[in-house]
Amino acid sequence: RSNDDGSVPQDNPFVNTQGAWPSIWSYGNRNPEGLAFDPRTGLLWESEHGPTGGDEINIIEPGLNYGWGVVSRGIQPGISRQHDPLMTDPLTYYTPSIGPSGISFYTGDRYPRWQNNSLFVTALVGQRLLRLAISDRDITSQEIVFEQFGRVRQIVNGPDGLFYVLLQNPTGRGTGTPVFGAAPGMVIRLQPEN
């Protein structure tokens, strides 16, 4: 974490720790893909790629160790433990991998059922958009919003109160394009039914 001018805030967790980089906010994060602040609580949520499976959703808090290099819910040579009491477990994880990417809370007023209670997670490998129902620090349920349009890369709130989603045309088996191959894409707008 840093101040707007790039300097390190004096309340960062490792500012006074001998031998530590003072700008470190948390550690043990393997491959963060999406970050979003919950507009109600101010908590920082994160989507993270696991090694082979074990993709995670976390709340990132100062000074916490999220386990990478020691524990994993995925398959990684040399890592056999899934939990350590001194490390922070993910709120949820995905095995097999969904390849999480961008995440967003809904802050508009066009989808009233999703207001103030939903974190949206885009998925590359899973080629889907997920809605995670949340209550404070807990995920209470999950649903697939859609999964038939290709790799879902990002979701943002538009100034009109609608969601805009960045898609890449389907890749992988049966498409003629390798999973990680180049494919055209599009931006779609999610229009409410009412």
Side-chain angles (χ1 to χ4, degrees), residues 7-20:
S7 63
V8 175
Q10 289 307 301
D11 65 346
N12 262 19
F14 298 102
V15 163
N16 298 312
T17 302
Q18 183 71 25

mmCIF file with all atom_site columns, all heavy atoms in Angstrom, residues 7-20:
data_model
loop_
_atom_site.group_PDB
_atom_site.id
_atom_site.type_symbol
_atom_site.label_atom_id
_atom_site.label_alt_id
_atom_site.label_comp_id
_atom_site.label_asym_id
_atom_site.label_entity_id
_atom_site.label_seq_id
_atom_site.pdbx_PDB_ins_code
_atom_site.Cartn_x
_atom_site.Cartn_y
_atom_site.Cartn_z
_atom_site.occupancy
_atom_site.B_iso_or_equiv
_atom_site.pdbx_formal_charge
_atom_site.auth_seq_id
_atom_site.auth_comp_id
_atom_site.auth_asym_id
_atom_site.auth_atom_id
_atom_site.pdbx_PDB_model_num
ATOM 1   N N   . SER A 1 7  ? 4.623  7.476  -1.509 1.00 0.00 ? 7  SER A N   1
ATOM 2   C CA  . SER A 1 7  ? 5.319  7.203  -0.251 1.00 0.00 ? 7  SER A CA  1
ATOM 3   C C   . SER A 1 7  ? 4.565  6.141  0.549  1.00 0.00 ? 7  SER A C   1
ATOM 4   O O   . SER A 1 7  ? 3.390  5.872  0.312  1.00 0.00 ? 7  SER A O   1
ATOM 5   C CB  . SER A 1 7  ? 5.458  8.487  0.568  1.00 0.00 ? 7  SER A CB  1
ATOM 6   O OG  . SER A 1 7  ? 4.188  8.984  0.928  1.00 0.00 ? 7  SER A OG  1
ATOM 7   N N   . VAL A 1 8  ? 5.253  5.539  1.513  1.00 0.00 ? 8  VAL A N   1
ATOM 8   C CA  . VAL A 1 8  ? 4.682  4.461  2.319  1.00 0.00 ? 8  VAL A CA  1
ATOM 9   C C   . VAL A 1 8  ? 3.978  5.056  3.537  1.00 0.00 ? 8  VAL A C   1
ATOM 10  O O   . VAL A 1 8  ? 4.577  5.824  4.289  1.00 0.00 ? 8  VAL A O   1
ATOM 11  C CB  . VAL A 1 8  ? 5.783  3.481  2.770  1.00 0.00 ? 8  VAL A CB  1
ATOM 12  C CG1 . VAL A 1 8  ? 5.226  2.421  3.710  1.00 0.00 ? 8  VAL A CG1 1
ATOM 13  C CG2 . VAL A 1 8  ? 6.449  2.843  1.568  1.00 0.00 ? 8  VAL A CG2 1
ATOM 14  N N   . PRO A 1 9  ? 2.701  4.703  3.751  1.00 0.00 ? 9  PRO A N   1
ATOM 15  C CA  . PRO A 1 9  ? 1.991  5.192  4.943  1.00 0.00 ? 9  PRO A CA  1
ATOM 16  C C   . PRO A 1 9  ? 2.640  4.659  6.225  1.00 0.00 ? 9  PRO A C   1
ATOM 17  O O   . PRO A 1 9  ? 3.107  3.521  6.271  1.00 0.00 ? 9  PRO A O   1
ATOM 18  C CB  . PRO A 1 9  ? 0.579  4.622  4.792  1.00 0.00 ? 9  PRO A CB  1
ATOM 19  C CG  . PRO A 1 9  ? 0.438  4.271  3.351  1.00 0.00 ? 9  PRO A CG  1
ATOM 20  C CD  . PRO A 1 9  ? 1.820  3.912  2.882  1.00 0.00 ? 9  PRO A CD  1
ATOM 21  N N   . GLN A 1 10 ? 2.659  5.483  7.233  1.00 0.00 ? 10 GLN A N   1
ATOM 22  C CA  . GLN A 1 10 ? 3.301  5.094  8.488  1.00 0.00 ? 10 GLN A CA  1
ATOM 23  C C   . GLN A 1 10 ? 2.532  4.022  9.255  1.00 0.00 ? 10 GLN A C   1
ATOM 24  O O   . GLN A 1 10 ? 3.082  3.412  10.165 1.00 0.00 ? 10 GLN A O   1
ATOM 25  C CB  . GLN A 1 10 ? 3.532  6.328  9.366  1.00 0.00 ? 10 GLN A CB  1
ATOM 26  C CG  . GLN A 1 10 ? 4.620  7.229  8.819  1.00 0.00 ? 10 GLN A CG  1
ATOM 27  C CD  . GLN A 1 10 ? 5.916  6.467  8.552  1.00 0.00 ? 10 GLN A CD  1
ATOM 28  O OE1 . GLN A 1 10 ? 6.502  5.866  9.452  1.00 0.00 ? 10 GLN A OE1 1
ATOM 29  N NE2 . GLN A 1 10 ? 6.369  6.464  7.296  1.00 0.00 ? 10 GLN A NE2 1
ATOM 30  N N   . ASP A 1 11 ? 1.261  3.743  8.853  1.00 0.00 ? 11 ASP A N   1
ATOM 31  C CA  . ASP A 1 11 ? 0.507  2.692  9.544  1.00 0.00 ? 11 ASP A CA  1
ATOM 32  C C   . ASP A 1 11 ? 0.537  1.362  8.792  1.00 0.00 ? 11 ASP A C   1
ATOM 33  O O   . ASP A 1 11 ? -0.176 0.433  9.164  1.00 0.00 ? 11 ASP A O   1
ATOM 34  C CB  . ASP A 1 11 ? -0.931 3.133  9.801  1.00 0.00 ? 11 ASP A CB  1
ATOM 35  C CG  . ASP A 1 11 ? -1.733 3.349  8.520  1.00 0.00 ? 11 ASP A CG  1
ATOM 36  O OD1 . ASP A 1 11 ? -1.128 3.417  7.427  1.00 0.00 ? 11 ASP A OD1 1
ATOM 37  O OD2 . ASP A 1 11 ? -2.976 3.453  8.617  1.00 0.00 ? 11 ASP A OD2 1
ATOM 38  N N   . ASN A 1 12 ? 1.361  1.250  7.731  1.00 0.00 ? 12 ASN A N   1
ATOM 39  C CA  . ASN A 1 12 ? 1.495  -0.051 7.060  1.00 0.00 ? 12 ASN A CA  1
ATOM 40  C C   . ASN A 1 12 ? 2.010  -1.084 8.059  1.00 0.00 ? 12 ASN A C   1
ATOM 41  O O   . ASN A 1 12 ? 2.777  -0.741 8.974  1.00 0.00 ? 12 ASN A O   1
ATOM 42  C CB  . ASN A 1 12 ? 2.449  0.058  5.867  1.00 0.00 ? 12 ASN A CB  1
ATOM 43  C CG  . ASN A 1 12 ? 1.721  0.223  4.555  1.00 0.00 ? 12 ASN A CG  1
ATOM 44  O OD1 . ASN A 1 12 ? 0.567  0.602  4.512  1.00 0.00 ? 12 ASN A OD1 1
ATOM 45  N ND2 . ASN A 1 12 ? 2.414  -0.071 3.468  1.00 0.00 ? 12 ASN A ND2 1
ATOM 46  N N   . PRO A 1 13 ? 1.629  -2.352 7.912  1.00 0.00 ? 13 PRO A N   1
ATOM 47  C CA  . PRO A 1 13 ? 1.932  -3.345 8.948  1.00 0.00 ? 13 PRO A CA  1
ATOM 48  C C   . PRO A 1 13 ? 3.410  -3.656 9.147  1.00 0.00 ? 13 PRO A C   1
ATOM 49  O O   . PRO A 1 13 ? 3.795  -4.111 10.222 1.00 0.00 ? 13 PRO A O   1
ATOM 50  C CB  . PRO A 1 13 ? 1.161  -4.586 8.493  1.00 0.00 ? 13 PRO A CB  1
ATOM 51  C CG  . PRO A 1 13 ? 0.880  -4.384 7.058  1.00 0.00 ? 13 PRO A CG  1
ATOM 52  C CD  . PRO A 1 13 ? 0.799  -2.915 6.840  1.00 0.00 ? 13 PRO A CD  1
ATOM 53  N N   . PHE A 1 14 ? 4.259  -3.432 8.139  1.00 0.00 ? 14 PHE A N   1
ATOM 54  C CA  . PHE A 1 14 ? 5.667  -3.815 8.274  1.00 0.00 ? 14 PHE A CA  1
ATOM 55  C C   . PHE A 1 14 ? 6.616  -2.612 8.242  1.00 0.00 ? 14 PHE A C   1
ATOM 56  O O   . PHE A 1 14 ? 7.808  -2.767 8.038  1.00 0.00 ? 14 PHE A O   1
ATOM 57  C CB  . PHE A 1 14 ? 6.039  -4.831 7.183  1.00 0.00 ? 14 PHE A CB  1
ATOM 58  C CG  . PHE A 1 14 ? 5.238  -6.098 7.287  1.00 0.00 ? 14 PHE A CG  1
ATOM 59  C CD1 . PHE A 1 14 ? 4.175  -6.336 6.440  1.00 0.00 ? 14 PHE A CD1 1
ATOM 60  C CD2 . PHE A 1 14 ? 5.522  -7.031 8.271  1.00 0.00 ? 14 PHE A CD2 1
ATOM 61  C CE1 . PHE A 1 14 ? 3.412  -7.488 6.550  1.00 0.00 ? 14 PHE A CE1 1
ATOM 62  C CE2 . PHE A 1 14 ? 4.769  -8.196 8.392  1.00 0.00 ? 14 PHE A CE2 1
ATOM 63  C CZ  . PHE A 1 14 ? 3.714  -8.422 7.534  1.00 0.00 ? 14 PHE A CZ  1
ATOM 64  N N   . VAL A 1 15 ? 6.092  -1.414 8.479  1.00 0.00 ? 15 VAL A N   1
ATOM 65  C CA  . VAL A 1 15 ? 6.911  -0.201 8.451  1.00 0.00 ? 15 VAL A CA  1
ATOM 66  C C   . VAL A 1 15 ? 8.069  -0.303 9.442  1.00 0.00 ? 15 VAL A C   1
ATOM 67  O O   . VAL A 1 15 ? 9.190  0.096  9.139  1.00 0.00 ? 15 VAL A O   1
ATOM 68  C CB  . VAL A 1 15 ? 6.048  1.054  8.730  1.00 0.00 ? 15 VAL A CB  1
ATOM 69  C CG1 . VAL A 1 15 ? 6.889  2.246  9.122  1.00 0.00 ? 15 VAL A CG1 1
ATOM 70  C CG2 . VAL A 1 15 ? 5.192  1.375  7.523  1.00 0.00 ? 15 VAL A CG2 1
ATOM 71  N N   . ASN A 1 16 ? 7.830  -0.849 10.604 1.00 0.00 ? 16 ASN A N   1
ATOM 72  C CA  . ASN A 1 16 ? 8.864  -0.910 11.645 1.00 0.00 ? 16 ASN A CA  1
ATOM 73  C C   . ASN A 1 16 ? 9.443  -2.304 11.841 1.00 0.00 ? 16 ASN A C   1
ATOM 74  O O   . ASN A 1 16 ? 10.062 -2.572 12.866 1.00 0.00 ? 16 ASN A O   1
ATOM 75  C CB  . ASN A 1 16 ? 8.291  -0.392 12.972 1.00 0.00 ? 16 ASN A CB  1
ATOM 76  C CG  . ASN A 1 16 ? 7.869  1.058  12.849 1.00 0.00 ? 16 ASN A CG  1
ATOM 77  O OD1 . ASN A 1 16 ? 8.625  1.883  12.338 1.00 0.00 ? 16 ASN A OD1 1
ATOM 78  N ND2 . ASN A 1 16 ? 6.658  1.367  13.295 1.00 0.00 ? 16 ASN A ND2 1
ATOM 79  N N   . THR A 1 17 ? 9.263  -3.191 10.852 1.00 0.00 ? 17 THR A N   1
ATOM 80  C CA  . THR A 1 17 ? 9.799  -4.555 10.955 1.00 0.00 ? 17 THR A CA  1
ATOM 81  C C   . THR A 1 17 ? 11.162 -4.604 10.294 1.00 0.00 ? 17 THR A C   1
ATOM 82  O O   . THR A 1 17 ? 11.297 -4.337 9.094  1.00 0.00 ? 17 THR A O   1
ATOM 83  C CB  . THR A 1 17 ? 8.838  -5.563 10.289 1.00 0.00 ? 17 THR A CB  1
ATOM 84  O OG1 . THR A 1 17 ? 7.559  -5.468 10.908 1.00 0.00 ? 17 THR A OG1 1
ATOM 85  C CG2 . THR A 1 17 ? 9.377  -6.984 10.412 1.00 0.00 ? 17 THR A CG2 1
ATOM 86  N N   . GLN A 1 18 ? 12.177 -4.936 11.067 1.00 0.00 ? 18 GLN A N   1
ATOM 87  C CA  . GLN A 1 18 ? 13.549 -5.004 10.570 1.00 0.00 ? 18 GLN A CA  1
ATOM 88  C C   . GLN A 1 18 ? 13.649 -5.988 9.401  1.00 0.00 ? 18 GLN A C   1
ATOM 89  O O   . GLN A 1 18 ? 13.178 -7.118 9.486  1.00 0.00 ? 18 GLN A O   1
ATOM 90  C CB  . GLN A 1 18 ? 14.483 -5.468 11.697 1.00 0.00 ? 18 GLN A CB  1
ATOM 91  C CG  . GLN A 1 18 ? 15.946 -5.515 11.336 1.00 0.00 ? 18 GLN A CG  1
ATOM 92  C CD  . GLN A 1 18 ? 16.547 -4.134 11.188 1.00 0.00 ? 18 GLN A CD  1
ATOM 93  O OE1 . GLN A 1 18 ? 16.075 -3.163 11.767 1.00 0.00 ? 18 GLN A OE1 1
ATOM 94  N NE2 . GLN A 1 18 ? 17.589 -4.022 10.397 1.00 0.00 ? 18 GLN A NE2 1
ATOM 95  N N   . GLY A 1 19 ? 14.205 -5.554 8.295  1.00 0.00 ? 19 GLY A N   1
ATOM 96  C CA  . GLY A 1 19 ? 14.440 -6.411 7.136  1.00 0.00 ? 19 GLY A CA  1
ATOM 97  C C   . GLY A 1 19 ? 13.247 -6.578 6.204  1.00 0.00 ? 19 GLY A C   1
ATOM 98  O O   . GLY A 1 19 ? 13.361 -7.239 5.180  1.00 0.00 ? 19 GLY A O   1
ATOM 99  N N   . ALA A 1 20 ? 12.089 -5.993 6.533  1.00 0.00 ? 20 ALA A N   1
ATOM 100 C CA  . ALA A 1 20 ? 10.898 -6.122 5.681  1.00 0.00 ? 20 ALA A CA  1
ATOM 101 C C   . ALA A 1 20 ? 10.742 -4.877 4.812  1.00 0.00 ? 20 ALA A C   1
ATOM 102 O O   . ALA A 1 20 ? 11.134 -3.779 5.204  1.00 0.00 ? 20 ALA A O   1
ATOM 103 C CB  . ALA A 1 20 ? 9.653  -6.311 6.539  1.00 0.00 ? 20 ALA A CB  1
#
